[in-house]
């Protein structure tokens, strides 16, 4: 059968497509796990963000799919609805399958749409079995993890337990299936690689627990190294390790760094997400190893620098430093120090706009970011389906905006007890634009050609909404903010 897999074009403020266009790891993993007789095409629509309608129309004509699959996050739901309508109009008989975080966590929303199948949580085995059932004309009632339309109602089969990953049932991704080009992270071709899945923490804003429970499973190093080589052989110069929480097992992470060095794969740049506690508590050995293995950017889940906020986010434990077996306070500064001493850059993940936040508490976090992080990744708490935080915000009546396409993390959709949502967003937006410019010299040293070619476009993106009058001080920043929000609203209309 011919199969077309699509990821959505929607991007958000911290991923300006001019500089960052990441592949979706789920789709190549699905493509690597179907039976060999199927012909799968993977299209990451971030690579055609301003030609979505034309690109989907062309791909449906060229590939002539019997099955179309879409990978969807919550803020991409509206775009997904429009793409589903387009595909259905082009090929009325096609089977449409949805998967990823939003369909898994809010399946009811998809039952209203013109969708045939919904794959919940991990997809490789479920999708493989689904294609077999469609090809052989069999029923879908025995496929765990699948929901499907049966006449005028939906059937939800039992859940599929999280995969152990240790055996070889989940085969490596198939990057040859990609049909669009242009992945980049600041001018270098980027690819995504997984070394593990899952997390045993339960941060209240994170979707991972409702998605798969609290567990942690790992791939073998042989497989991971082969996957990195495959990404490199497909042109990648930067590898993003997309594990939910690679730092859960620090000894394993250290061993992985060593394996990367021994395999000679340390000439690539690596980007990873990490907990502050793991880096602070093990930085003496871990940070130098990471550096030698080629790690350049570390996304630190700082979340907030104030204890009260960390408690609300249920993120105190993963941000605690321990000395001689005792908790000795917030781990963030120490973690940043280890990374900086080993020439790595900190992408600082902070969340401002929590229920108790005041102007002062938000400002304290912004000031921290100005002082310590190399690239700010400041977000607002966003009530995604089925996270514990969503219930807290709803119970307190603080959700101000139900337009899911604005649930992109940098649009404040909740208010605090003291500040309106818009004010919270204004404070972050105003501070963050300038912080981003500070990293330009480091980017220039690493990739001068990219910065010379794209600095203007990147600045235009960061400061969109500004005008000659505002630069000359003749227009207030509020006015610029209003224009920025209007531009952002227009950008969200992908088709
Ligand atoms: C890596 C990652 C990113 C990367 C890369 C994204 C990319 N291009 O793929 C970056 C840093 C760019 C990113 C950014 C964002 N992300 Co993000 N990201 C993740 C993370 C850590 C891992 C995702 C991943 O690749 N997993 C590995 C793959 C193989 O697994 P998977 O995606 O789950 O796919 C499996 C199943 O879901 C299913 N499946 C998925 N799609 C499909 C499709 C079909 C047809 C089928 C059958 C099955 C299927 O099968 C797959 C294989 O088992 C998750 C989870 C986490 N713990 O935080 C968040 C997560 C997905 N991100 C999230 C969000 C909100 C964002 C942002 C909006 C804001 C932010 N928090 O940074 C931006 C927006 C990105 C953009 N488009 O502009 C949320 C989504 C919440 C939701 N309900 O939608 C998550 C869950 C984190 C969270 N807050 O809880 N993200
Ligand atoms: S530590 Fe990270 S992956 Fe784990 S629950 Fe918290 S935010 Fe999610």
């Amino acid at each position: 059968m011919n199969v077309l897999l699509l990821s959505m074009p929607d991007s958000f403020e911290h991923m300006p497509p001019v500089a960052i266009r990441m592949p979706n790891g789920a789709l190549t993993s699905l493509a690597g796990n179907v039976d060999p007789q199927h012909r799968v095409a993977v299209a990451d629509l971030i690579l055609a963000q301003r030609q979505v309608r034309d690109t989907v129309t062309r791909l449906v004509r060229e590939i002539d799919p019997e099955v179309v699959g879409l990978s969807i996050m919550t803020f991409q739901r509206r775009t997904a609805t429009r793409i589903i309508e387009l595909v259905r109009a082009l090929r009325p008989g096609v089977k449409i399958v949805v998967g990823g975080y939003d369909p898994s966590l809010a399946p009811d929303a998809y039952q209203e749409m013109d969708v045939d199948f919904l794959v919940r949580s991990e997809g490789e085995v479920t999708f493989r079995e689904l294609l077999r059932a469609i090809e052989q004309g069999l029923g879908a009632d025995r496929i765990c993890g699948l929901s499907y339309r049966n006449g005028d109602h939906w059937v939800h089969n039992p859940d599929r337990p999280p995969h152990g990953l240790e055996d070889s049932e989940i085969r490596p991704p198939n990057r040859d299936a990609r049909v669009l080009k242009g992945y980049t992270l600041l001018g270098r071709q980027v690819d995504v690689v997984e070394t593990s899945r899952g997390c045993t923490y339960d941060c209240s804003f994170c979707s991972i627990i409702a998605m798969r429970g609290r567990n942690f499973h790992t791939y073998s190093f042989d497989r991971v190294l082969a996957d990195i080589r495959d990404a490199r052989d497909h042109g990648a110069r930067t590898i993003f390790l997309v594990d939910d929480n690679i730092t859960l097992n620090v000894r394993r992470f250290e061993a992985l760094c060593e394996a990367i060095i021994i395999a000679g794969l340390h000439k690539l740049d690596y980007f990873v997400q990490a907990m502050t506690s793991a880096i602070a508590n093990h930085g003496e050995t871990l940070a130098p190893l990471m550096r030698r293995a080629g790690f350049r950017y570390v996304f630190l889940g700082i979340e907030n620098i104030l204890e009260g906020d960390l408690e609300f986010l249920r993120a105190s434990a993963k941000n605690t430093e321990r000395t001689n077996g005792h908790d000795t306070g917030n781990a963030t500064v120490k973690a940043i120090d280890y990374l900086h001493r080993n020439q790595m850059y900190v992408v600082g993940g902070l969340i401002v706009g929590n229920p108790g936040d005041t102007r002062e508490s938000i400002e304290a976090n912004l000031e921290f970011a100005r002082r310590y992080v190399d690239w700010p990744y400041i977000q607002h708490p966003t009530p995604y389906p089925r996270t514990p935080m969503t219930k807290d915000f709803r119970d307190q009546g603080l959700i101000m905006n139900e337009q899911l396409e604005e649930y992109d993390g940098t649009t404040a959709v909740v208010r605090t007890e003291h500040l309106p949502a818009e004010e919270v967003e204004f404070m972050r937006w105003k501070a963050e634009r300038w912080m981003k410019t500070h990293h330009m010299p480091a980017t220039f040293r690493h990739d001068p050609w990219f910065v010379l070619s794209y600095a203007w476009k990147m600045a235009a993106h960061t400061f969109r909404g500004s005008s000659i009058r505002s630069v000359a001080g003749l227009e207030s920043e509020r006015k610029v903010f209003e224009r920025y929000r209007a531009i952002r609203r227009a950008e969200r209309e992908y088709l």
Side-chain angles (χ1 to χ4, degrees):
M1 285 193 299
N2 292 341
V3 180
L4 173 60
L5 298 177
L6 302 169
S7 67
M8 300 301 99
D10 312 56
S11 61
F12 88 128
E13 201 47 24
H14 298 323
M15 297 279 145
V18 57
I20 306 176
R21 297 183 294 276
M22 295 263 192
N24 174 303
L27 298 186
T28 37
S29 188
L30 294 173
N33 278 281
V34 301
D35 292 325
Q37 72 273 23
H38 302 303
R39 191 176 140 232
V40 184
V42 165
D44 285 305
L45 293 174
I46 187 74
L47 300 173
Q49 200 185 44
R50 294 293 147 215
Q51 305 92 32
V52 173
R53 185 171 292 277
D54 290 353
T55 305
V56 173
T57 304
R58 175 175 66 78
L59 290 174
V60 168
R61 297 231 159 95
E62 284 175 10
I63 287 151
D64 192 18
E66 281 126 298
V67 175
V68 172
L70 290 87
S71 182
I72 312 163
M73 290 196 217
T74 300
F75 79 112
Q76 303 171 328
R77 192 187 295 173
R78 186 181 70 177
T79 305
T81 314
R82 293 176 182 175
I83 293 178
I84 288 167
E85 283 166 11
L86 173 63
V87 170
R88 188 62 84 198
L90 292 165
R91 284 281 183 285
V94 77
K95 300 280 183 228
I96 297 184
V97 189
V98 292
Y101 277 85
D102 195 47
S104 301
L105 298 176
D108 293 357
Y110 289 82
Q111 297 175 18
E112 313 296 316
M113 298 184 203
D114 202 350
V115 164
D116 302 288
F117 300 100
L118 186 153
V119 170
R120 307 189 310 270
S121 196
E122 270 174 338
E124 289 86 356
V125 181
T126 311
F127 192 59
R128 183 192 299 162
E129 292 179 4
L130 173 62
L131 291 192
R132 276 180 201 159
I134 296 174
E135 188 178 42
Q136 295 165 19
L138 302 173
D141 51 320
R142 284 165 189 258
I143 304 177
C144 290
L146 185 75
S147 300
Y148 61 99
R149 190 182 289 284
N150 188 357
D152 57 358
H153 70 283
W154 274 75
V155 179
H156 301 284
N157 291 347
D159 290 344
R160 181 178 294 277
H163 202 285
L165 306 186
E166 283 80 11
D167 62 21
S168 49
E169 189 185 19
I170 299 192
R171 298 190 295 261
N174 172 8
R175 296 185 172 85
D176 290 330
R178 292 174 180 154
V179 291
L180 301 178
K181 290 197 170 17
Y183 302 109
T184 187
L185 182 74
L186 300 169
R188 292 181 182 223
Q189 187 173 322
V190 64
D191 215 322
V192 294
V193 167
E194 292 180 273
T195 91
S196 67
R197 287 183 182 172
C199 181
T200 52
Y201 284 81
D202 66 343
C203 304
S204 73
F205 54 88
C206 182
S207 307
I208 191 76
I209 306 309
M211 183 77 167
R212 52 177 293 126
R214 293 169 77 174
N215 51 70
F216 182 64
H217 295 287
T218 56
Y219 282 122
S220 72
F221 286 176
D222 283 348
R223 177 193 153 118
V224 173
L225 297 175
D227 199 4
I228 296 174
R229 270 189 215 102
D230 184 62
R232 181 198 60 191
D233 295 347
H234 281 81
R237 294 293 166 266
T238 299
I239 303 290
F240 182 7
L241 298 181
V242 293
D243 301 34
D244 301 316
N245 190 351
I246 202 170
T247 50
L248 261 186
N249 183 342
V250 173
R251 295 289 162 246
R252 174 180 178 274
F253 186 29
E254 288 184 341
L256 177 65
C257 292
E258 279 164 0
I260 288 173
I261 299 165
I262 291 166
L265 292 166
H266 56 292
K267 302 256 162 56
L268 299 166
D269 284 345
Y270 292 86
F271 190 133
V272 73
Q273 324 195 78
M275 289 191 294
T276 59
S277 58
I279 305 283
N281 295 332
H282 303 274
E284 207 60 49
T285 49
L286 177 61
L289 261 176
M290 286 172 72
R291 183 59 209 143
R292 283 177 47 223
F295 285 83
R296 179 171 167 80
Y297 286 101
V298 180
F299 177 99
L300 270 189
I302 302 167
E303 322 309 1
N304 205 286
I305 57 153
L306 302 174
E307 231 13 80
D309 278 313
L310 279 178
E311 268 167 38
F312 170 74
L313 297 166
R314 292 201 209 153
S316 300
K318 70 166 186 157
N319 282 297
T320 300
E321 187 190 341
R322 287 177 72 78
T323 315
N324 301 327
H326 299 289
D327 293 353
T328 47
N330 193 297
T332 305
V333 173
K334 192 162 179 196
I336 293 175
D337 188 45
Y338 274 127
L339 295 173
H340 281 166
R341 273 199 271 145
N342 288 281
Q343 290 90 46
M344 286 177 276
Y345 294 109
V346 174
V347 179
L350 286 153
I351 303 180
V352 299
N354 303 304
D357 269 344
T358 57
R359 198 172 285 284
E360 291 70 32
S361 66
I362 292 175
E363 193 41 59
N365 277 282
L366 296 176
E367 185 48 35
F368 181 88
R370 273 188 209 100
R371 188 158 161 211
Y372 289 103
V373 310
D374 301 290
W375 184 263
Y377 200 97
I378 307 174
Q379 301 193 59
H380 306 300
T382 308
Y384 292 119
R386 290 184 51 199
T387 62
M389 189 181 74
T390 301
K391 187 174 178 316
D392 292 344
F393 272 108
R394 209 169 280 294
D395 290 348
Q396 294 179 60
L398 295 172
I399 300 179
M400 295 291 113
N401 180 343
E402 304 275 354
Q403 309 264 97
L404 296 185
E405 60 278 10
E406 300 192 8
Y407 280 35
D408 57 11
T410 47
T411 310
V413 298
V414 297
R415 56 166 294 135
T416 79
E417 287 151 15
H418 311 280
L419 290 172
E422 200 174 312
E423 189 58 24
V424 172
E425 187 178 329
F426 176 69
M427 288 181 73
R428 178 201 55 78
W429 166 86
K430 190 168 144 225
E432 211 171 18
R433 286 181 309 164
W434 289 103
M435 289 183 219
K436 285 180 177 170
T437 59
H438 298 161
H439 191 54
M440 275 307 122
T443 313
F444 181 78
R445 283 195 295 279
H446 198 51
D447 296 285
W449 181 241
F450 172 76
V451 174
L452 287 174
S453 314
Y454 289 95
W456 171 247
K457 277 192 170 173
M458 281 160 64
H461 177 275
T462 306
F463 288 93
R464 59 206 194 288
S466 302
S467 65
I468 294 177
R469 281 170 56 76
S470 66
V471 173
L474 299 171
E475 232 178 16
S476 73
E477 297 216 270
R478 300 266 168 191
K479 189 103 193 146
V480 179
F481 180 57
E482 274 320 306
R483 261 203 308 270
Y484 154 78
R485 288 182 29 124
I487 294 170
R488 193 69 198 104
R489 269 194 294 277
E491 280 175 352
R492 291 193 186 101
E493 302 289 335
Y494 297 96
L495 77 169

